[in-house]
Amino acid sequence: MDDDTTHHESNNHKPEWYRTLVKEVNDLVTVVDTDGTITYVSPAITRILGYDPSELVGHEGFEFVHPEDRERNADALEGVLSNPSESETVEVRFRHADGSWRWIEATIQNRVDDDIIDGILVSSRDITERKEYEREARELAEEYEAVLNSVEDAIFLMNVREDGDGVRFEFERLSPSYERQTGITTEEVQGQTPQAVFGEEQGAELAANYHRCVKAGEPISYQEELRVSEEARIWQTKLAPVVSNGEITRLVGVTRNVTERVERERQLRQQNECGFSPELLALST
């Protein structure tokens, strides 16, 4: 009897506890020989990839791997053959029975010397949803960066952290526009509290509005005084909470320097209170 026949028979006569185990686990269990030929597939293959085990046994696993991922898969297999004591984990696209591609995370171990397994043991799970989430997160991050870098209004992100005294606010990120208008950079303030950045008095006033937003659990809008220069002292700010798993974890602030407008309105009020109109003032000068 040749080696291949013996190998297939050995996999068909595994102990009953082993057969029961691989039927019950959620992960897909596959055994391949040193050439990559599939010698065993657990019943989970039907649920995860739509095949009957008999459709894969005897075929090379690379046949079902996406062409762009085959080299990475081969490198992982070569890795465990060269270093039997080490395992390899690889993410590849595997063809579903319906022709679509599913992302699989496979942990590969060398069990050639194991009398029961007698081959390369591959434990796999479907990570397609996770990969889709990661793709969407990357796209969202790119959109976020584009917005952050293009808007004229100054944007700041605050982390909301629980500590022994209640809630603590720490700067996470400043938009380029915020940095230009204030002269303050993300690098300078990241991880610091408003009090540490702007002083105890001004910082406490800022934090009071942040507390108000957290308590309200919804966006708030207000005018505040934050003196960063003579031309930038009064700001119109909108603050919104970011909720994760039912908890407010961040605050997003959008603020605009309204110093010039407020000063102009103040001057007009003073003129009106004194009985002078802008037209008369213009004629008298």
Side-chain angles (χ1 to χ4, degrees):
M1 186 176 295
D2 60 31
D3 290 341
D4 285 343
T5 304
T6 303
H7 190 65
H8 284 293
E9 286 189 355
S10 66
N11 277 287
N12 289 331
H13 293 86
K14 295 182 185 296
E16 190 60 33
W17 64 265
Y18 180 85
R19 300 173 67 86
T20 302
L21 175 64
V22 295
K23 285 181 180 178
E24 297 299 326
V25 295
N26 289 324
D27 284 357
L28 169 62
V29 177
T30 308
V31 178
V32 301
D33 62 21
T34 55
D35 293 327
T37 301
I38 299 171
T39 59
Y40 174 81
V41 184
S42 69
I45 187 69
T46 304
R47 172 176 53 81
I48 297 175
L49 292 168
Y51 295 99
D52 184 272
S54 62
E55 296 180 80
L56 274 70
V57 172
H59 290 268
E60 286 193 2
F62 294 126
E63 295 178 24
F64 302 90
V65 175
H66 193 285
E68 294 178 4
D69 302 334
R70 287 175 185 171
E71 182 176 354
R72 186 162 63 252
N73 199 138
D75 289 344
L77 183 61
E78 179 60 32
V80 299
L81 289 173
S82 301
N83 301 285
S85 62
E86 300 292 330
S87 64
E88 296 274 352
T89 299
V90 64
E91 296 178 0
V92 298
R93 284 161 289 184
F94 201 94
R95 189 170 65 246
H96 191 281
D98 64 10
S100 64
W101 295 102
R102 305 291 294 180
W103 276 101
I104 296 295
E105 181 183 75
T107 299
I108 306 172
Q109 302 175 68
N110 189 332
R111 293 292 183 267
V112 173
D113 295 332
D114 188 304
D115 292 337
I116 296 175
I117 298 173
D118 190 23
I120 306 300
L121 179 65
V122 184
S123 178
S124 309
R125 59 192 181 97
D126 188 339
I127 59 167
T128 305
E129 288 186 7
R130 190 192 82 190
K131 297 292 283 190
E132 180 64 20
Y133 173 81
E134 291 174 352
R135 183 188 64 79
E136 292 176 354
R138 283 195 302 272
E139 291 179 354
L140 188 62
E142 290 171 359
E143 293 174 4
Y144 159 78
E145 287 293 332
V147 170
L148 205 63
N149 292 323
S150 63
V151 295
E152 293 185 8
D153 288 339
I155 299 176
F156 60 95
L157 276 68
M158 303 293 300
N159 282 320
V160 180
R161 303 192 186 283
E162 295 285 344
D163 62 19
D165 299 323
V167 178
R168 173 185 173 93
F169 302 102
E170 297 177 354
F171 281 98
E172 178 188 343
R173 180 82 182 273
L174 307 176
S175 70
S177 179
Y178 190 107
E179 294 181 339
R180 286 194 301 271
Q181 294 182 48
T182 65
I184 301 169
T185 66
T186 295
E187 186 178 28
E188 292 171 335
V189 304
Q190 195 170 55
Q192 297 191 50
T193 65
Q195 291 89 333
V197 175
F198 296 107
E200 193 62 38
E201 184 177 347
Q202 279 198 119
E205 292 175 1
L206 296 175
N209 284 318
Y210 303 160
H211 278 289
R212 186 158 61 91
C213 182
V214 169
K215 185 175 182 180
E218 60 185 16
I220 63 172
S221 181
Y222 55 91
Q223 186 172 289
E224 62 184 341
E225 186 165 346
L226 180 62
R227 186 182 294 271
V228 296
S229 70
E230 280 302 313
E231 295 76 26
R233 295 179 285 109
I234 304 170
W235 305 80
Q236 185 65 40
T237 301
K238 294 180 181 179
L239 200 63
V242 177
V243 179
S244 178
N245 296 322
E247 299 288 335
I248 295 176
T249 58
R250 280 195 183 104
L251 297 177
V252 178
V254 180
T255 190
R256 177 175 294 181
N257 180 11
V258 294
T259 306
E260 184 178 350
R261 189 196 75 194
V262 171
E263 289 293 340
R264 187 168 60 249
E265 291 173 350
R266 185 178 298 166
Q267 290 174 1
L268 289 173
R269 282 196 304 271
Q270 291 174 347
Q271 292 165 4
N272 290 333
E273 289 171 0
C274 293
F276 296 107
S277 69
E279 291 80 4
L280 287 175
L281 287 173
L283 290 173
S284 65
T285 58

